[in-house]
Amino acid sequence: MDLPEVIALRRELIPEQPGNVYIAASLLETDWMDDLRRRHPDAEFIFIVEGVLMYFYEKQVKSFLHAVASRFGGGELWFDVCGTMMSRHGLKPDSLRKHEAQIRSGLSDGHVVEQWEPTLRLIEQANYMKFFRPRWGFFFGQILGRMTRLCCKFSSLLGYRIISR
């Protein structure tokens, strides 16, 4: 799934295959969600939203989470977030330092999402240093990487079970 102009380019470069259908829509719209639910009424979905939500304002993130949770009970939702240390202080990951993109929202505690959307239950909150210790070097990877709460102030991966209503 991506914006229509990105999907148009993707279709030129990598044609769709049976069972691998592209969805041309904004993540913030709900028509694609309703269409997906109509096509697969009994399915349990796993949504992986990667590298997107931090560019939206908190109000938009809450709206997206509610839209997914209200339609896809029984599934899972996984997404990455920038932590509050990054969002509040204008810090950017290495990959964005030379770009104009702005981090507009951040979360350091995955349980906050459960307060926003009661049908979401936190499965796991993992800091990236847990997975890529050698990349960060000895001090950051081996020492700071074990300080989960501190690391989550910078970024983390969140996974939720969507409870059926």
Side-chain angles (χ1 to χ4, degrees), residues 51-66:
V52 176
L53 296 182
M54 69 274 297
Y55 302 114
F56 296 146
Y57 294 103
E58 186 176 292
K59 181 178 179 180
Q60 293 171 304
V61 173
K62 288 177 180 180
S63 177
F64 166 74
L65 296 175
H66 176 73

Side-chain angles (χ1 to χ4, degrees), residues 93-104:
D94 295 343
S95 60
L96 293 179
R97 291 220 172 102
K98 296 180 182 178
H99 297 281
E100 297 290 323
Q102 294 181 359
I103 306 299
R104 294 193 170 108

Side-chain angles (χ1 to χ4, degrees), residues 4 6-16 21-24:
V6 176
I7 292 296
L9 178 60
R10 185 174 291 164
R11 283 184 172 128
E12 285 181 35
L13 299 173
I14 308 168
E16 286 176 87
V21 179
Y22 296 151
I23 298 172

Side-chain angles (χ1 to χ4, degrees), residues 15-32:
E16 286 176 87
Q17 300 294 315
N20 185 18
V21 179
Y22 296 151
I23 298 172
S26 167
L27 193 69
L28 300 177
E29 296 170 357
T30 57
D31 289 347
W32 68 267

